[in-house]
Amino acid sequence: MSDLDYDIETLAVRSGIVRSQFNEHSEAMFLTSSFVFKNAAQAAARFKGEEPGMIYARFTNPTVNMLETRLAALEGAERCVAFSSGMAAILATVMGLMKTGEHVVASRSIFGSTVQLFSNILGRFGIETTYVSPTDPEDWRRALKPNTKLFFVESPSNPLTEVSDIGALSAIARQAGAWLAVDNCFCSPALQRPLALGADIVIHSATKYLDGQGRVLGGAVLGSKELMEGVYTFLRTAGPTLSAFNAWVILKGLETLSIRMEAHSRSALELARWLESHPGVERVFYPGLSSHPQHELAMEQQKTGGGIVAFEVKGGQEAAWRVVDGCKLLSITANLGDAKSTITHPSSTTHSRMTAEQRGFAGIGDGLVRVAVGLESVRDIQNDLARGLNA
Ligand SMILES: *Cc1c(COP(=O)(O)O)cnc(C)c1O
């Protein structure tokens, strides 16, 4: 099948399938740790890389390979390497491509564990990170050093949905001889394809929208064959491997990715508009709203505004907690990208490790609430939020 000829909805259902001798219709799950060789010569050829084929499930498994092929087709990447989690994928990107003494420029608005990884763990191994504004490309240029190797960004960001200009960042990175990595977790390839916008590397927490139903953890790194060779070598050697079971779950999750993202986005836009007109709400953060500071850029880069809506409630933490605690339907959890809507109070949970001053600088107010809009009826989600907002 020539993947180039098909639309993303078709690729999500049809690409990457490798059938066994039984010619099963649905993708099979291969639960085996190792594979048998016909003879000594074949074993030797496989280990030398002279003959393609399975060896050992730390780094080769047919179900994992099917997921990698499908996700690569969706992102328009030459190659995908799957991992046990999103964090393992980010670690492998750095371990596979960088060395001690090199420098990262990262958006200030990235996932909390990614900040911990860059600052506290990779920092101990002599990889330094400078944090800059997600919305000002010139800030990235100013942060460049002769040893800068990697730009790292999430767009839209969590929870304020700031949108970064991926094309502008890629131009600055390229000029400086650095790679641009985009954590595409919030959009998924159904809404945004960073490689087509100029990025060198795409990273996923497959735990979120790619599975989409809150079942398993997984991660992936995508890019050129050349870049992915280093990332794959790290996987093969260090072993943060995606299990065949999790790969199978995510592979089947991808089949419904486009229709899920459309539904999440439709409900999120309706919810955002409703919140914007609510007297108890100070401000709404959603890229699909014309009031969003990077609305035009978002609509160029993304198909829709996505499924995450944040809003600042009038009355600070007390009022925000009233909204959270008023919910009977929405789940109070920090997760996102699930069919079930979730509600989070960032300043006391996901962003509580920051000081109050850091939170103020990052724009994470005490009245801020984040909703990851699921697949329930949007009217029911509104009614759930209205209880606390109207109190
Ligand atoms: C959840 C998340 C991660 C980490 O992924 P895990 O699968 O939990 O390891 C990384 N980046 C973003 C934007 C996330 O939301």
Side-chain angles (χ1 to χ4, degrees):
M1 185 176 116
S2 164
D3 288 351
L4 293 175
D5 299 341
Y6 292 102
D7 289 330
I8 193 164
E9 294 82 356
T10 309
L11 295 173
V13 176
R14 291 283 178 177
S15 65
I17 301 175
V18 176
R19 296 198 163 92
S20 78
Q21 65 189 102
F22 301 112
N23 209 22
E24 64 282 353
H25 187 211
S26 182
E27 298 77 354
M29 181 163 50
F30 290 90
L31 290 178
T32 179
S33 52
S34 59
F35 298 84
V36 180
F37 309 110
K38 273 195 307 221
N39 50 41
Q42 188 184 47
R46 290 266 173 94
F47 269 84
K48 268 195 202 144
E50 289 168 0
E51 181 191 294
M54 302 298 142
I55 301 174
Y56 181 62
R58 188 187 329 114
F59 51 95
T60 50
N61 177 280
T63 312
V64 175
N65 289 0
M66 282 191 264
L67 171 66
E68 289 169 335
T69 308
R70 182 168 294 175
L71 196 51
L74 298 185
E75 287 284 6
E78 281 178 9
R79 186 169 179 192
C80 170
V81 186
F83 289 92
S84 54
S85 70
M87 290 316 303
I90 296 170
L91 173 67
T93 303
V94 175
M95 297 303 271
L97 299 176
M98 294 182 67
K99 57 181 192 293
T100 297
E102 291 179 335
H103 175 240
V104 179
V105 182
S107 160
R108 205 176 282 131
S109 304
I110 54 175
F111 191 63
S113 296
T114 311
V115 175
Q116 300 297 322
L117 175 68
F118 282 148
S119 297
N120 300 341
I121 298 181
L122 296 169
R124 281 196 274 119
F125 294 88
I127 291 174
E128 190 205 356
T129 302
T130 306
Y131 296 94
V132 295
S133 161
T135 54
D136 179 8
E138 287 312 308
D139 212 18
W140 295 69
R141 196 193 300 278
R142 280 191 293 272
L144 282 171
K145 296 183 181 193
N147 57 345
T148 303
K149 208 62 197 249
L150 184 71
F151 276 17
F152 189 97
V153 72
E154 279 169 31
S155 183
S157 71
N158 179 25
L160 293 177
T161 71
E162 298 145 295
V163 175
S164 302
D165 188 334
I166 294 172
L169 295 185
S170 87
I172 296 168
R174 188 145 306 157
Q175 236 180 11
W179 298 299
L180 171 64
V182 177
D183 181 333
N184 201 25
C185 179
F186 267 42
C187 276
S188 89
L191 303 186
Q192 174 170 272
R193 306 214 304 165
L195 297 175
L197 296 167
D200 303 286
I201 298 159
V202 173
I203 295 174
H204 276 289
S205 166
T207 316
K208 312 294 168 52
Y209 288 111
L210 302 188
D211 167 25
Q213 287 144 91
R215 299 168 293 191
V216 298
L217 273 86
V221 185
L222 302 101
S224 67
K225 278 188 184 144
E226 195 187 342
L227 284 181
M228 290 310 103
E229 196 52 43
V231 173
Y232 175 72
T233 300
F234 178 75
L235 170 82
R236 179 172 179 151
T237 312
T241 307
L242 182 66
S243 74
F245 176 76
N246 288 10
W248 179 80
V249 170
I250 298 162
L251 189 59
K252 301 306 283 182
L254 287 182
E255 293 185 351
T256 55
L257 179 66
S258 285
I259 52 170
R260 281 188 286 108
M261 294 313 293
E262 275 171 34
H264 286 300
S265 304
R266 205 182 317 116
S267 295
L269 180 60
E270 197 174 325
L271 187 71
R273 287 189 174 139
W274 174 78
L275 285 165
E276 208 166 37
S277 69
H278 195 288
V281 174
E282 186 74 48
R283 189 170 165 200
V284 182
F285 303 87
Y286 183 67
L289 289 176
S290 51
S291 60
H292 188 281
Q294 296 97 37
H295 174 66
E296 275 176 32
L297 173 65
M299 294 301 98
E300 280 167 30
Q301 290 188 163
Q302 309 170 202
K303 199 168 165 190
T304 67
I308 311 290
V309 179
F311 55 101
E312 183 82 36
V313 181
K314 287 178 188 162
Q317 170 159 325
E318 201 185 326
W321 279 24
R322 206 180 304 125
V323 174
V324 173
D325 291 341
C327 289
K328 294 182 171 149
L329 180 69
L330 272 55
S331 314
I332 306 174
T333 166
N335 196 29
L336 63 97
D338 196 309
K340 297 176 176 65
S341 294
T342 67
I343 187 163
T344 312
H345 181 247
S347 77
S348 62
T349 58
T350 51
H351 291 67
S352 61
R353 278 183 288 186
M354 295 164 88
T355 64
E357 195 188 359
Q358 285 170 329
R359 276 198 300 275
F361 188 57
I364 315 281
D366 288 338
L368 191 73
V369 173
R370 186 198 75 188
V371 174
V373 181
L375 300 177
E376 305 95 337
S377 127
V378 66
R379 211 161 39 88
D380 289 334
I381 298 171
Q382 278 176 15
N383 288 339
D384 214 38
L385 293 171
R387 243 187 312 276
L389 278 175
N390 296 340

